[in-house]
Amino acid sequence: MNSKRVTIQDVAAAAGVSRQTVSRAMNNRGEIRPETRAEILRIAEEMNYRPSSIARGLATQRTGTLGLVVPDVANPFFAEVARGAEHEAYAAGHNVFLCNTDEDPQREIAVLRSLEEKRVDGVILCSSRLDDEALHKALSRHASVVLVNRQLNGYEFGCVLIDDEQGGKKITQHLLNSQHRTIGFLAGPPASRSGQKRVAGYRAAMADAGIIYDPDWLRPCPPSVEGGHKVAAGLLSDHPEITALFCYNDLVAIGALQASHDLELAIPDDLAIVGFDDIPLAALVTPPLTTCHVSRYEMGVQAMKMLLERIDGCATECQQVLLQPELVIRASAP
Amino acid sequence: MNSKRVTIQDVAAAAGVSRQTVSRAMNNRGEIRPETRAEILRIAEEMNYRPSSIARGLATQRTGTLGLVVPDVANPFFAEVARGAEHEAYAAGHNVFLCNTDEDPQREIAVLRSLEEKRVDGVILCSSRLDDEALHKALSRHASVVLVNRQLNGYEFGCVLIDDEQGGKKITQHLLNSQHRTIGFLAGPPASRSGQKRVAGYRAAMADAGIIYDPDWLRPCPPSVEGGHKVAAGLLSDHPEITALFCYNDLVAIGALQASHDLELAIPDDLAIVGFDDIPLAALVTPPLTTCHVSRYEMGVQAMKMLLERIDGCATECQQVLLQPELVIRASAP
DNA sequence: CTGTTAGCGCATTCAG
DNA sequence: CTGAATGCGCTAACAG
């Protein structure tokens, strides 16, 4: 950076017009003679003029910036959501502030507040850990909000969710089609809403098929490789009749794969295993995992589109987008 | 958001003082009577006053915002860098704009320009794809810049790099210590500087050990699982004498693992394989990969620390931080 | 310790 | 089609 920044005033002087005329030329708005405009743009470019978004923001009360709040960008799930959201924002000429909360509710509140001070035009909040009341309060001072992976009924926010129940149903039906009748379920953390929904899908599919299942086939499970390994081992030794295992997510499924290896069960012949999410790893383990693909990138895109619409039009009602997960059939459960 | 925003003027009126006094109270600067300050803060909190960073930025010429430019946040490498950088920025009270370039040089330039219009206080640019001249030009209007994973000598930017040559040397020495003498190298894209450095490390270690190697043991290779698979297959059938394979990165190493499986080579008995980066996947494949650990999070932290220092103090000389990669020994090359 | 006077750089009226 | 006046919300520099 050499010397001072050039302002609209400098350009106006150089072009021999008023600041207002330069403003019109830059924003391509208001009537202005094409030649005048072209000449001004030429001079502006020559002088390396960069209109100040800060000053413009002060004057217009719109900053062209958005906030994206995630628990942790290093988590591939949120990294892809961020990618999709940023891509969409860029196309619309906006910039996005990335904020991590570290799964800390206090920090979530603090971050939302700092975003307010930055006068962002809107916020996308992913997987909020706040309870309904705190969440509503923290969001109340933001004009436009879209929630991802978190529902909050009764308030005027947009939200983007995965249809976990449909996903659970699709997976279960796939296993039923393969003649499995004794299907176990490693259900994830008891508090997980997505886990509950996936279980609901399982129940619905089993009921549709007229199958009575043993409630003990369903067990809660930490959402990790280790959790899956341990709980699968217990479930499979208690219930040797189980021929297929529906896992809360791919990590759990990989743990189940390890447990099966310990028990010398052949996959998929002795036991079929399915996961959920379709993380990159799912295709690379042995055998590759049958799972439900969730497009995290698409979630980001949808959320940002919804946010931009809400900022422009004043769509302030509570919209909701339900993304459909897709069954991906691989060797672990053909 | 109910009604209008409350401004410093509103708070001043409610507290019966001037705007300036409120400003002093909020910024805890300039002499002010503690009681006055406490009272003003109480009233401000009660009124839900949120000082406008925009207005402050216009007045002070400092925005408290930074730009982070990466090729793609969905790439775990950059996601972790972003995580580290954001964490550090948050601690210092700054917000960061996340920008993806999609590996597109034009977009890189555009993004840097929009960041300039946003009047960021500084920029971190990761793995720039611009040539030296274009890079210097695109950066010339930013006051404080730190480059990550990219060197640009002769200009006043900070940079944070991985010591690829040392890493290459460490890996090669490890293989030499295990009595390997015929060590192949899948070297990554020919244009990759990190690839060139790793090769330099390999050469140095081989020379130190007094080993003459066949230049055909080194082959360029796309930096992906597929690339590794294909090139490894070719190399191993052309040179059955090779007993160890140094791969450009972990993905390539996983491809090599697959190729070995095709050729019925036992790992590590028939062939030792090492990767680079230590991505999460590296520990989960079979057998787990020996590799060089690079702390991407730490790169982000270091880059942000350097940037903040450069913004405050006016350290404008060309600093450089070289991060040491660490050998991680797993089953693929014990 | 506190108030007053001036902008920061731009867009939004309204006149011409 | 273009220009002049006014204010966005805040801080810096100076008075008091």
Side-chain angles (χ1 to χ4, degrees):
Chain A
M1 190 157 63
N2 354 345
S3 69
K4 287 302 269 179
R5 288 213 106 86
V6 11
T7 74
I8 198 172
Q9 177 66 32
D10 302 327
V11 179
V17 298
S18 74
R19 294 180 310 178
Q20 187 45 30
T21 303
V22 176
S23 174
R24 277 192 272 258
M26 297 305 296
N27 298 305
N28 195 14
R29 190 153 34 98
E31 281 94 5
I32 182 174
R33 187 146 42 99
E35 309 140 41
T36 313
R37 174 171 142 79
E39 175 64 1
I40 292 177
L41 289 183
R42 195 186 61 68
I43 293 178
E45 184 57 32
E46 192 178 296
M47 298 176 78
N48 272 318
Y49 170 57
R50 298 282 181 275
S52 164
S53 289
I54 294 296
R56 176 182 295 159
L58 226 210
T60 60
Q61 305 289 56
R62 264 164 128 279
T63 55
T65 65
L66 306 166
L68 175 64
V69 183
V70 296
D72 176 10
V73 243
N75 177 328
F77 187 101
F78 299 113
E80 286 187 37
V81 172
R83 184 77 192 75
E86 198 272 341
H87 194 270
E88 205 59 28
Y90 178 82
H94 288 70
N95 285 99
V96 0
F97 283 119
L98 175 69
C99 303
N100 292 94
T101 66
D102 271 342
E103 323 250 349
D104 174 358
Q106 284 315 307
R107 184 154 164 180
E108 198 175 323
I109 291 174
V111 147
L112 253 7
R113 182 170 172 151
S114 86
L115 251 16
E116 192 191 338
E117 297 189 350
K118 285 300 194 282
R119 297 296 189 263
V120 293
D121 296 332
V123 170
I124 293 178
L125 175 56
C126 299
S127 302
S128 173
R129 261 59 171 173
L130 296 173
D131 63 58
D132 287 9
E133 192 187 331
L135 179 55
H136 178 246
K137 187 176 171 213
L139 255 22
S140 65
R141 307 185 60 76
H142 282 284
S144 304
V145 176
V146 171
L147 263 22
V148 169
N149 239 358
R150 168 64 135 91
Q151 221 164 351
L152 213 207
N153 291 320
Y155 295 108
E156 316 174 330
F157 304 128
C159 58
V160 174
L161 302 163
I162 293 168
D163 195 338
D164 287 296
E165 184 164 349
Q166 269 304 319
K169 203 164 171 180
K170 282 183 188 171
I171 286 185
T172 310
Q173 286 171 341
H174 172 65
L175 293 173
L176 289 169
N177 285 341
S178 305
Q179 311 309 324
H180 292 286
R181 290 297 174 268
T182 46
I183 305 174
F185 199 140
L186 301 185
S192 160
R193 305 191 189 209
S194 53
Q196 294 162 7
K197 291 273 179 63
R198 289 170 201 176
V199 170
Y202 166 91
R203 293 211 164 106
M206 292 296 259
D208 286 355
I211 296 178
I212 312 290
Y213 60 88
D214 182 342
D216 196 45
W217 292 348
L218 280 71
R219 300 208 175 160
C221 170
S224 60
V225 174
E226 299 70 35
H229 192 147
K230 198 169 155 191
V231 179
L235 178 63
L236 292 172
S237 40
D238 290 354
H239 294 282
E241 74 274 21
I242 287 177
T243 63
L245 205 48
F246 180 170
C247 300
Y248 171 66
N249 68 17
D250 292 335
L251 294 177
V252 169
I254 290 168
L257 235 37
Q258 296 176 346
S260 314
H261 191 259
D262 299 346
L263 295 168
E264 300 189 343
L265 292 171
I267 311 294
D269 296 333
D270 297 335
L271 179 74
I273 291 181
V274 299
F276 209 104
D277 287 348
D278 195 23
I279 62 177
L281 192 49
L284 295 171
V285 291
T286 317
L289 228 46
T290 290
T291 186
C292 231
H293 179 78
V294 171
S295 176
R296 301 159 281 268
Y297 180 86
E298 189 60 21
M299 293 186 78
V301 168
Q302 291 294 335
M304 186 55 78
K305 278 190 174 164
M306 192 185 284
L307 184 62
L308 293 173
E309 278 174 17
R310 298 183 138 243
I311 290 173
D312 287 341
C314 346
T316 180
E317 70 284 6
C318 171
Q319 300 169 275
Q320 188 168 304
V321 166
L322 258 194
L323 255 33
Q324 288 305 318
E326 276 175 46
L327 193 61
V328 179
I329 300 173
R330 299 205 185 91
S332 76
Chain B
M1 191 158 65
N2 356 344
S3 71
K4 287 301 269 179
R5 288 212 107 86
V6 10
T7 74
I8 197 172
Q9 176 65 33
D10 302 326
V11 178
V17 297
S18 75
R19 295 180 308 179
Q20 187 51 25
T21 303
V22 176
S23 173
R24 278 192 271 257
M26 297 303 297
N27 297 306
N28 196 14
R29 189 155 33 100
E31 283 95 5
I32 182 174
R33 186 148 43 99
E35 310 140 43
T36 314
R37 174 171 140 80
E39 175 64 2
I40 291 176
L41 289 183
R42 195 186 59 70
I43 293 177
E45 184 58 31
E46 192 179 296
M47 298 177 76
N48 272 319
Y49 171 56
R50 297 282 180 278
S52 164
S53 289
I54 294 297
R56 177 182 293 157
L58 189 54
T60 59
Q61 304 291 56
R62 263 164 129 278
T63 55
T65 64
L66 306 166
L68 175 64
V69 183
V70 298
D72 176 9
V73 244
N75 178 329
F77 187 102
F78 299 112
E80 287 188 35
V81 172
R83 184 76 191 74
E86 198 272 341
H87 194 270
E88 206 59 28
Y90 178 82
H94 288 69
N95 285 99
V96 0
F97 282 118
L98 174 70
C99 303
N100 292 93
T101 66
D102 272 341
E103 324 250 348
D104 173 358
Q106 285 316 307
R107 185 155 162 177
E108 198 174 325
I109 292 174
V111 147
L112 252 9
R113 180 168 173 153
S114 85
L115 251 17
E116 192 191 338
E117 297 190 350
K118 285 297 194 285
R119 296 296 189 262
V120 293
D121 296 333
V123 169
I124 293 178
L125 176 56
C126 300
S127 301
S128 173
R129 260 60 170 174
L130 297 172
D131 62 60
D132 286 10
E133 190 187 333
L135 179 56
H136 177 248
K137 187 176 172 214
L139 254 23
S140 65
R141 307 186 59 76
H142 282 284
S144 303
V145 176
V146 171
L147 262 22
V148 169
N149 239 359
R150 170 63 137 91
Q151 219 165 351
L152 213 207
N153 292 319
Y155 294 109
E156 316 173 330
F157 304 128
C159 58
V160 174
L161 303 163
I162 292 168
D163 194 338
D164 287 296
E165 183 162 351
Q166 268 305 318
K169 205 165 170 179
K170 283 184 188 172
I171 286 184
T172 311
Q173 286 171 341
H174 171 66
L175 293 172
L176 290 168
N177 286 340
S178 305
Q179 312 308 325
H180 292 285
R181 290 297 173 267
T182 45
I183 305 176
F185 199 140
L186 302 185
S192 160
R193 305 191 188 208
S194 53
Q196 293 161 6
K197 291 273 178 64
R198 290 169 201 177
V199 170
Y202 166 92
R203 293 210 164 107
M206 293 294 260
D208 286 355
I211 296 179
I212 312 289
Y213 59 87
D214 181 343
D216 195 44
W217 292 348
L218 279 71
R219 300 211 174 158
C221 170
S224 60
V225 173
E226 299 69 36
H229 191 148
K230 196 168 159 191
V231 180
L235 178 62
L236 293 172
S237 40
D238 290 354
H239 293 282
E241 75 274 20
I242 287 177
T243 65
L245 204 48
F246 180 168
C247 301
Y248 171 66
N249 68 18
D250 292 335
L251 294 177
V252 169
I254 290 169
L257 234 36
Q258 295 176 346
S260 314
H261 191 258
D262 298 345
L263 297 168
E264 299 189 346
L265 293 171
I267 311 294
D269 296 334
D270 297 335
L271 179 73
I273 292 180
V274 299
F276 209 105
D277 287 348
D278 195 24
I279 62 176
L281 193 49
L284 295 171
V285 292
T286 317
L289 228 45
T290 290
T291 185
C292 231
H293 179 79
V294 171
S295 177
R296 302 160 281 268
Y297 181 86
E298 189 60 21
M299 294 186 78
V301 168
Q302 292 293 337
M304 185 56 77
K305 277 189 174 162
M306 192 184 282
L307 183 62
L308 292 173
E309 277 172 18
R310 299 183 137 240
I311 290 172
D312 287 341
C314 348
T316 179
E317 71 282 9
C318 173
Q319 299 167 274
Q320 189 167 304
V321 166
L322 256 195
L323 256 32
Q324 288 305 318
E326 277 175 46
L327 193 61
V328 178
I329 300 173
R330 299 205 185 92
S332 75

